[in-house]
Amino acid sequence: MQREKMNVDKMMRFILDNELTDDIAIVLHPDSFDALAIDYITINGNIERPFEILGIEIVEDTSGKVSRNKIHTIKI
């Protein structure tokens, strides 16, 4: 079974459903981050790293602790 790839709509739903505020950042596996970044570029035309969706910073996991297609949050 193939998991749904990370995309902007999925991320927006997650942010809204969990009522995240700007003191939280979302951390994604590098593959998930790349998939989301590509979708974001398709919609917005450009990207800077890290980038934001609905005011929430999206960052790439460099620790190797976040699994692909999982969403982790950290307090900033």
Side-chain angles (χ1 to χ4, degrees), residues 20-76:
L20 300 184
T21 58
D22 61 0
D23 63 339
I24 297 293
I26 291 175
V27 183
L28 300 174
H29 182 278
D31 292 344
S32 299
F33 181 89
D34 290 346
L36 181 61
I38 289 168
D39 192 46
Y40 186 90
I41 290 168
T42 302
I43 294 168
N44 296 299
N46 61 4
I47 192 171
E48 294 181 24
R49 287 183 177 225
F51 63 99
E52 294 182 355
I53 296 177
L54 299 177
I56 304 300
E57 189 173 321
I58 312 296
V59 296
E60 184 174 6
D61 174 45
T62 57
S63 70
K65 294 180 180 179
V66 179
S67 300
R68 185 178 292 131
N69 294 323
K70 297 290 182 182
I71 299 172
H72 286 244
T73 59
I74 58 170
K75 191 158 182 79
I76 53 174

